[in-house]
């Protein structure tokens, strides 16, 4: 089993839809979690951190479920500009914190 | 531009040649990471530095790969005796703050093609 797993998609949704992605991790020692966004042929850019209590930034909500070992990203009122690949990253402590990225979930928002 | 920069942006080399890439992080960032990314995959961690100290190195990193950050500022990644399997995008990222809670800022990457 991979350390960090994401459904590669693509998730194909109409504008205005609500869409959610999950990212599962296998190591219970994982400490920190983030979502990044990567546009085609561009570098990843931080979207948001994932706190234990969950956090919201505009149309985006990130949550952590430690018991089931996954994080989620919810996007409300999808825009065409939300089309991108969404990468989760999990930091696991093994002396130093090593960041492990998932393979990403592709989102396509269509008119 | 005060972001992370990488040079070159593209590199085409023949199998067996050595290549070196450079990364200039955001100036006040003390941590610097190298990743490799292939099509359809997320960035794969290679190594990271805190200031000039290389603190972690992926076990996936063969001895043909070496990285340095001599003065705690820019970093270089060298690949010796390149193989076709080394073809990928090599990404550099920098950050500051507490390890494990740091937000990484990525450079545009160096795309390596080994022929």
């Amino acid at each position: 089993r991979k350390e960090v797993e994401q459904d590669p998609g693509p998730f194909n949704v109409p504008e205005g839809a609500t869409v959610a992605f999950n990212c599962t991790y296998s190591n219970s020692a994982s400490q920190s979690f983030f979502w990044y966004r990567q546009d085609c042929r561009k570098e990843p850019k931080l979207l948001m951190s994932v706190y234990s209590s969950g956090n919201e930034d505009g149309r985006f909500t990130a949550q952590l479920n430690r018991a089931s070992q996954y994080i989620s990203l919810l996007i409300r009122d999808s825009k065409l500009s939300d089309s991108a690949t969404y990468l989760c990253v999990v930091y696991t402590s093994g002396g130093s914190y090593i960041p492990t990225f998932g393979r990403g979930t592709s989102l396509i928002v269509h008119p | 531009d005060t972001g992370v920069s990488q040079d070159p942006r593209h590199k085409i080399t023949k199998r067996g040649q050595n290549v070196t890439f450079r990364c200039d992080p955001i100036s006040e960032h003390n941590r610097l990471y190298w990743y490799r990314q292939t099509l359809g995959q997320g960035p794969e961690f290679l190594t990271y530095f805190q200031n000039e100290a290389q603190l972690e190195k992926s076990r996936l990193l063969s001895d043909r790969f070496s990285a340095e950050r001599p003065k705690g500022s820019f970093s270089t990644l060298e690949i010796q005796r390149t193989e076709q399997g080394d073809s990928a995008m090599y990404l550099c990222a920098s950050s500051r703050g507490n390890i494990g809670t740091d937000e990484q800022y990525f450079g545009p990457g160096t795309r390596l093609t080994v022929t």
Side-chain angles (χ1 to χ4, degrees):
Chain A
R1 181 183 175 187
K2 287 187 177 181
E3 281 190 60
V4 178
E5 294 199 65
Q6 293 184 257
D7 180 345
F11 284 61
N12 207 317
V13 303
E15 273 187 288
T18 295
V19 62
F21 313 131
N22 284 343
C23 167
T24 60
Y25 59 95
S26 61
N27 193 328
S28 59
S30 298
Q31 297 290 324
S32 302
F33 311 88
F34 297 85
W35 284 101
Y36 279 75
R37 170 194 170 127
Q38 186 171 28
D39 293 296
C40 188
R41 296 187 176 276
K42 297 286 188 179
E43 70 274 19
K45 292 188 177 178
L46 179 69
L47 181 64
M48 58 198 308
S49 306
V50 186
Y51 305 127
S52 296
S53 56
N55 54 313
E56 187 174 316
D57 183 3
R59 297 182 294 108
F60 298 82
T61 300
Q63 292 191 314
L64 167 64
N65 185 317
R66 285 196 183 274
S68 300
Q69 295 185 194
Y70 73 89
I71 61 172
S72 63
L73 178 68
L74 180 78
I75 305 175
R76 290 180 297 276
D77 189 23
S78 298
K79 312 291 185 191
L80 295 176
S81 57
D82 293 334
S83 298
T85 295
Y86 291 85
L87 299 159
C88 65
V89 58
V90 175
Y91 281 80
T92 302
S93 176
S96 294
Y97 280 99
I98 303 298
T100 302
F101 279 82
R103 65 178 298 181
T105 296
S106 175
L107 172 65
I108 301 171
V109 182
H110 59 81
Chain B
D1 186 351
T2 57
V4 178
S5 62
Q6 293 187 243
D7 184 72
R9 296 290 303 276
H10 303 274
K11 179 71 176 178
I12 300 174
T13 192
K14 292 185 178 179
R15 188 176 55 187
Q17 298 295 304
N18 299 343
V19 293
T20 299
F21 309 141
R22 176 178 170 126
C23 171
D24 286 89
I26 295 171
S27 60
E28 63 268 28
H29 285 186
N30 60 340
R31 268 192 296 287
L32 187 150
Y33 299 80
W34 284 101
Y35 295 90
R36 177 172 61 194
Q37 187 175 27
T38 53
L39 191 64
Q41 301 298 316
E44 177 186 27
F45 171 78
L46 295 178
T47 188
Y48 94 89
F49 294 83
Q50 180 140 334
N51 299 312
E52 66 275 10
Q54 186 174 18
L55 297 187
E56 282 292 341
K57 189 174 175 179
S58 169
R59 62 182 182 276
L60 301 174
L61 209 62
S62 77
D63 56 7
R64 296 185 298 107
F65 288 71
S66 62
E68 293 182 343
R69 193 182 183 198
K71 297 182 179 178
S73 55
F74 73 92
S75 176
T76 58
L77 177 69
E78 181 183 16
I79 309 173
Q80 296 182 326
R81 305 182 302 282
T82 53
E83 302 172 356
Q84 286 188 320
D86 297 331
S87 294
M89 176 73 84
Y90 289 84
L91 293 164
C92 172
S94 70
S95 69
R96 64 177 178 180
N98 297 320
I99 185 68
T101 63
D102 55 338
E103 301 172 4
Q104 297 184 42
Y105 294 82
F106 282 82
T110 294
R111 183 170 296 281
L112 173 66
T113 302
V114 182
T115 62

